[in-house]
Amino acid sequence: MYATALWLYFVLLVGIIVVPGMDMFFVLANALTGGRQSGLAATAGIMLGGVCHTLFGTVFVVGLANVVPALSKAMLVAGSLYMLWIGVSLLRSSIAVHSVGTAARRSSATILLQGLMTCILNPKAWLFVLAVYPQFMKPEYGPIGMQALVMGAMTVAVQMAIYGGLALAAGKSREALTGHPAATVMIGRAAGALLIAAAAFALWEALRTA
């Protein structure tokens, strides 16, 4: 029974992470503009965000079912506005191979922190946690803490496999873009446009269901 539930959770998890969204665009943009190291730093930040979502999902299931739904709307709106800000910044920037506009190249620690914030404020992740965790984290499956550990480990592992693989592939492709700065600018601005579209849709959904 529990094994079947874990397998179904894994399938849903892979599906939600594979679908292009805020986290994937962030990793891709950093890998293309900053290379493999930047892409992996972004992936690490997203993975830390996955840990935070697991902790939130556990608290939600255990005892805050009556409080968190009211707060979740504000979180979704905040996350959507954050996405819009990043998207507009990318759209207005001229991204070079080593920098955005005239800004200095960011450190791995900075990218990791931004990746963490990107994942934490990702509306898609909040919706996934609120909708899925109560279905797969139940007392009859054993101690809630152990269930949270297993589901968190699965989340981080899938993020590492998908986003880490994307970062490595994009980092390698970056070498081909070194001599084509115009292509790099177009990629960055296209990512910004996609983020704006995704943020606008998420914000509309959050306000519509408020």
Side-chain angles (χ1 to χ4, degrees), residues 115-134:
L116 171 61
M117 294 303 299
T118 297
C119 184
I120 287 178
L121 294 176
N122 187 347
K124 184 177 73 172
W126 286 110
L127 289 173
F128 178 80
V129 170
L130 290 171
V132 172
Y133 266 60

Side-chain angles (χ1 to χ4, degrees), residues 32-33 95-97 173 176-190:
L32 286 173
T33 59
I95 302 176
V97 171
S173 300
L177 295 174
T178 303
H180 301 82
T184 308
V185 170
M186 290 299 295
I187 289 173
R189 291 180 177 175

Side-chain angles (χ1 to χ4, degrees), residues 143-163:
I144 294 296
M146 183 58 66
Q147 293 183 54
L149 184 62
V150 172
M151 293 173 68
M154 291 173 64
T155 300
V156 170
V158 174
Q159 287 176 323
M160 181 173 63
I162 294 177
Y163 295 143

Side-chain angles (χ1 to χ4, degrees), residues 1-60:
M1 184 73 173
Y2 182 50
T4 302
L6 280 181
W7 174 249
L8 183 55
Y9 173 74
F10 174 76
V11 172
L12 292 173
L13 181 66
V14 171
I16 197 68
I17 291 178
V18 166
V19 173
M22 186 176 178
D23 294 345
M24 183 175 289
F25 294 147
F26 182 80
V27 172
L28 183 60
N30 277 281
L32 286 173
T33 59
R36 189 173 303 174
Q37 181 177 344
S38 295
L40 292 177
T43 300
I46 299 298
M47 290 165 62
L48 285 177
V51 173
C52 292
H53 284 302
T54 298
L55 293 174
F56 167 80
T58 304
V59 172
F60 172 69

Side-chain angles (χ1 to χ4, degrees), residues 76 161 171 188:
L76 290 176

